[in-house]
Amino acid sequence: MEKNKITIDNYLDPHYIHRSNWLRAAVLGANDGIISISSLAIGVAAASTTKEPIVLATVAGLVAGALSMAAGEYVSVSSQTDIEKADIEREKKELEEMPEEELNILTQIYEQRGLKHETAIQVAKELTAADALGTHMRDELGINEMSKANPIQAALASGAAFTVGGLLPLLVVLFTPVKGMEYWLYGFTILFLIILGATSAKTGGSNIGKAIIRITIWGTIAMGLSAFVGYLFGVNV
């Protein structure tokens, strides 16, 4: 029985929130890789009679997309980290210059969560004595270890996931005939998206059906518009 006892060290094990940062980046990267590369290939295939330009466009899109995704994720998450660091420094200064006001703010926060005034003051005082900055980071700013951004982790997860996702439509381009390639790409891409939606939902503990429907609908729209543009401006290449 002791092995199954819930403690502060294992209470999050059955939960999924601690996976949210890297899972978001990975799903976004894989989804973008599958849809954007498939859409690009479909658009070129709709205007091409030979395979070479389709392969070239797909490979170029895969390389550029992976690098762009990783760089964009790194810059975005780094900006979030900079904001968090600036807020933490501001909070340090406020705790030094106006500790009573900060204690009052903490008390009000706990009152809003349902504690009586006397209890809220007691809790605020005890937590401030134990770790004033950590308490204000968590309860006033909403920053904790699970939500803190990691730029390198997000960039690597996003870039790697985009590459894996983009390789799938590239394989379809390489091993299917030019004639009717758009339909092969669409069919396989929907299959890839269903697998991705189911996997991400399973990993994140969310509803698998909703994830599959959401991801396939938007994928279909993106590929349909790309095919339309290819046909609209179709010049044999």
Side-chain angles (χ1 to χ4, degrees):
M1 289 294 291
E2 286 297 320
K3 290 183 179 179
N4 298 323
K5 184 178 179 181
I6 297 176
T7 67
I8 191 67
D9 296 317
N10 65 17
Y11 78 102
L12 277 178
D13 289 350
H15 297 274
Y16 299 93
I17 188 64
H18 55 290
R19 303 177 183 178
S20 60
N21 284 331
W22 66 263
L23 182 60
R24 180 195 63 82
V27 171
L28 176 63
N31 180 71
D32 199 21
I34 293 171
I35 293 179
S36 62
I37 300 304
S38 290
S39 298
L40 175 64
I42 287 173
V44 177
S48 179
T49 56
T50 58
K51 182 172 286 192
E52 286 77 10
I54 307 173
V55 174
L56 178 61
T58 305
V59 172
L62 176 58
V63 174
L67 294 175
S68 176
M69 177 66 71
E73 192 73 20
Y74 181 83
V75 171
S76 174
V77 177
S78 293
S79 298
Q80 180 183 338
T81 303
D82 291 341
I83 293 172
E84 289 177 352
K85 288 180 178 178
D87 273 345
I88 291 171
E89 289 302 316
R90 188 177 298 111
E91 198 62 35
K92 283 182 182 179
K93 187 177 181 181
E94 290 175 350
L95 284 168
E96 292 174 359
E97 296 178 352
M98 48 183 196
E100 290 300 322
E101 288 84 348
E102 288 295 302
L103 184 64
N104 183 48
I105 290 172
L106 209 55
T107 301
Q108 292 179 50
I109 290 173
Y110 296 145
E111 284 184 284
Q112 289 179 353
R113 293 180 183 175
L115 294 182
K116 294 180 180 179
H117 181 69
E118 295 76 13
T119 307
I121 292 176
Q122 186 65 26
V123 171
K125 287 180 178 179
E126 291 187 17
L127 289 176
T128 298
D131 182 9
L133 181 60
T135 300
H136 281 271
M137 283 174 55
R138 181 182 61 253
D139 294 330
E140 184 182 340
L141 303 179
I143 300 173
N144 55 52
E145 288 303 317
M146 284 187 295
S147 65
K148 287 180 79 172
N150 187 324
I152 297 295
Q153 183 189 60
L156 290 176
S158 186
F162 184 98
T163 301
V164 173
L167 282 173
L168 297 175
L170 175 59
L171 291 174
V172 177
V173 169
L174 292 174
F175 293 105
T176 57
V178 175
K179 186 175 181 179
M181 184 180 287
E182 311 95 285
Y183 304 106
W184 284 102
L185 279 164
Y186 174 76
F188 273 103
T189 299
I190 292 299
L191 176 62
F192 299 149
L193 290 175
I194 289 173
I195 295 172
L196 174 63
T199 303
S200 62
K202 182 72 174 176
T203 306
S206 56
N207 185 281
I208 294 178
K210 287 183 179 179
I212 290 174
I213 292 172
R214 183 170 56 234
I215 204 169
T216 52
I217 287 177
W218 285 105
T220 298
I221 292 173
M223 288 184 290
L225 290 174
S226 297
F228 176 71
V229 171
Y231 282 115
L232 190 64
F233 298 97
V235 178
N236 289 343
V237 291

